[in-house]
Amino acid sequence: MEAARPFLLGGHWQRSALTAKVVNPFTGETIAEICRAGQTEAAAAVQAAEAATVPMRELPAHVRADALLRIAAALRARQEEVARTITAEAGKPITDSRREVARAIQTFSVAAEEAKRIPGEIVPMDWTPGTEFYLGILRRFPIGPILGITPFNFPLNLVAHKVAPALAAGNPIVIKPAPQTPLTALLLGEIVLESGLPAGALSIVPCDNAVAERLVVDDRFKMLSFTGSAAVGWMLKGKAGKKRVTLELGGNAAVIVEPDADLDVAAQRCAAGGYAYAGQTCISVQRIFVHQSVLQPFTEKLLAQVAALKAGDPIKEDTVIGPLIDQAAARRVEAWIGEAVAQGGRLLLGGKRSGSVVEATVLSEVTPTMKVSCQEVFGPVVTVSPYQRFEDALTAVNDSPYGLQAGVFTRDVGRIFHAFRNLEVGTVLANEIPTFRADHMPYGGVKDSGLGREGVRYAIEEMTEPRLLVLNLRQ
């Protein structure tokens, strides 16, 4: 095996005595060894970001935009290399990995546009006598160094959703990638390093949790942007002090299927949303509530769609369901399925595990207290439950500690808007699954699902500070 790969620190590649292995989730083979940052290297990354604050802040918008376009172009030129890296370290099916790279290209392209139109406004001051000659000008300014902590499931695009808006706004950023998937982030670091941005604009520092927590409490960071589990996210928020915090956390996304819905479309979309990347997305379809009158035909259509999904080696072009991130995750999902069945749930399809691959599973007759209902499975498991009244379905969707996204399949626009008003989620999708995300839309949740919004324009708002200039224009 080649020497341990260095990490990106302040515009140069850094080696350290600490190393970690990167393992292919499907084969179990070690595919690389990387250097990890200790306390000394992490402190140097903070210093590099701090040193880059003024050079980044002073970059004109067109310079930031051009750099972001160069990053997008480099990703496009290396698309297959990056996609295969994602598949190797994350176990994501290669077709999904290619889509992730395409989305990251879009994210950086949108950031290039948004870098040129960070808004400001004129604020009239002449509302009371004596203020006739005053005028306010509001502009947004970069807040300074940002710490981003990212998960394994989208090792490129969820990094891009922190890096792209930070650079667009003129902020340096330090990324702590997931321990399972550092290689993709390091590839992105290589590309950003060649974009012409100031040294220290981006550092990629793989490190253990203790070092990461030291970074979180460091007051030199002005913002923490975290994507990951709810338990870890809220714990880190408690340690973050006075800095801004954006949290993109978990979910157990729900779908409502009304009697007037196109059942073929609903079944096809639910199958796509429940099993893409083996259900390892926080907006994966997990709970499906179907009106009693169409429960049987919908379930039959869903089972037919799910049974056709091919599981196995993620590097094969026709694989839809690859492995979970490791065998421990697969064993947990298998145990939750078994526990649901033991408690009275009915296994309609799947349920078996082979190594780190879990079969596409459909459960019915579940109760709200089962783990597959009330917690985030993060695996290829979908539950189907009947309801009688639309209000009952809304209540069932809201009966969750999470509130990220939800889908409603119906032709009744009144019910769509009723769901929009009453569902406790960040996004309601009409005649679409909650797994849908466009990279420029405001994305985020409520309750245990998080705090703040991502999507390039909305992340830029989180990463900038409004500042007002008041002019006395009296001659």
Side-chain angles (χ1 to χ4, degrees), residues 219-268:
D219 288 336
R220 289 172 292 180
F221 285 115
K222 303 307 177 185
M223 178 178 177
L224 166 66
S225 179
F226 173 88
T227 303
S229 73
V232 174
W234 292 112
M235 178 272 291
L236 292 178
K237 181 180 181 295
K239 295 176 178 287
K242 297 178 182 179
K243 61 177 62 66
R244 293 187 184 182
V245 177
T246 296
L247 302 176
E248 299 295 341
L249 307 176
N252 58 352
V255 171
I256 296 172
V257 181
E258 278 281 272
D260 65 340
D262 185 323
L263 299 185
D264 290 309
V265 170
Q268 186 276 324

Side-chain angles (χ1 to χ4, degrees), residues 22-349:
V22 182
V23 175
N24 182 306
F26 182 69
T27 65
E29 297 174 355
T30 298
I31 56 174
E33 190 171 19
I34 62 159
C35 294
R36 286 192 306 152
Q39 297 289 3
T40 300
E41 293 83 7
V46 183
Q47 292 169 359
E50 196 174 32
T53 298
V54 172
M56 283 294 296
R57 185 176 63 213
E58 293 181 345
L59 285 180
H62 70 88
V63 174
R64 285 178 269 130
D66 288 346
L68 289 159
L69 287 175
R70 283 193 290 272
I71 294 167
L75 279 171
R76 187 176 292 109
R78 300 175 67 175
Q79 184 165 1
E80 188 66 16
E81 174 193 1
V82 178
R84 288 182 175 272
T85 301
I86 294 171
T87 294
E89 68 175 349
K92 181 171 290 189
I94 187 64
T95 53
D96 291 338
S97 294
R98 292 187 187 118
R99 276 192 289 272
E100 180 173 348
V101 182
R103 287 182 61 187
I105 293 168
Q106 172 76 354
T107 300
F108 279 102
S109 300
V110 170
E113 297 177 20
E114 295 293 348
K116 295 182 287 188
R117 55 188 185 211
I118 296 174
E121 63 177 306
I122 302 297
V123 183
M125 293 290 175
D126 57 345
W127 286 22
T128 57
T131 63
E132 292 86 351
F133 299 99
Y134 290 85
L135 181 71
I137 299 174
L138 186 73
R139 287 193 61 190
R140 304 192 74 91
F141 292 88
I143 59 174
I146 295 169
L147 172 62
I149 300 179
T150 57
F152 71 81
N153 56 338
F154 286 85
L156 177 63
N157 200 37
L158 290 185
V159 175
H161 269 287
K162 302 187 188 308
V163 173
L167 301 181
N171 295 306
I173 184 168
V174 175
I175 290 289
K176 186 267 181 193
Q180 305 94 328
T181 55
L183 302 178
T184 306
L186 292 172
L187 261 180
L188 178 62
E190 180 182 320
I191 288 170
V192 173
L193 190 61
E194 297 169 353
S195 69
L197 288 168
L202 173 65
S203 293
I204 307 284
V205 287
C207 60
D208 64 22
N209 291 340
V211 174
E213 287 190 31
R214 287 284 294 272
L215 292 172
V216 168
V217 302
D218 196 308
D219 288 336
R220 289 172 292 180
F221 285 115
K222 303 307 177 185
M223 178 178 177
L224 166 66
S225 179
F226 173 88
T227 303
S229 73
V232 174
W234 292 112
M235 178 272 291
L236 292 178
K237 181 180 181 295
K239 295 176 178 287
K242 297 178 182 179
K243 61 177 62 66
R244 293 187 184 182
V245 177
T246 296
L247 302 176
E248 299 295 341
L249 307 176
N252 58 352
V255 171
I256 296 172
V257 181
E258 278 281 272
D260 65 340
D262 185 323
L263 299 185
D264 290 309
V265 170
Q268 186 276 324
R269 295 301 293 146
C270 285
Y275 303 98
Y277 191 37
Q280 295 175 114
T281 69
C282 50
I283 45 177
S284 177
V285 173
Q286 183 172 327
R287 299 176 295 152
I288 306 176
F289 299 100
V290 186
H291 193 273
Q292 181 68 53
S293 65
V294 293
L295 178 64
Q296 181 175 346
F298 172 82
T299 304
E300 290 174 354
K301 292 176 185 295
L302 177 68
L303 291 174
Q305 290 282 343
V306 176
L309 302 177
K310 182 174 179 180
D313 189 344
I315 201 61
K316 292 184 177 179
E317 298 285 340
D318 58 348
T319 295
V320 176
I321 303 174
L324 273 71
I325 192 61
D326 54 36
Q327 290 208 26
R331 286 193 292 269
R332 176 189 57 78
V333 173
E334 180 186 38
W336 284 19
I337 295 168
E339 182 178 293
V341 173
Q343 293 174 355
R346 184 182 173 200
L347 185 64
L348 301 181
L349 190 71

Side-chain angles (χ1 to χ4, degrees), residues 385-409:
S385 303
Y387 69 89
Q388 295 286 355
R389 300 183 310 125
F390 190 62
E391 289 292 342
D392 296 334
L394 298 179
T395 300
V397 173
N398 288 339
D399 184 19
S400 169
Y402 297 104
L404 195 45
Q405 300 198 153
V408 181
F409 285 85

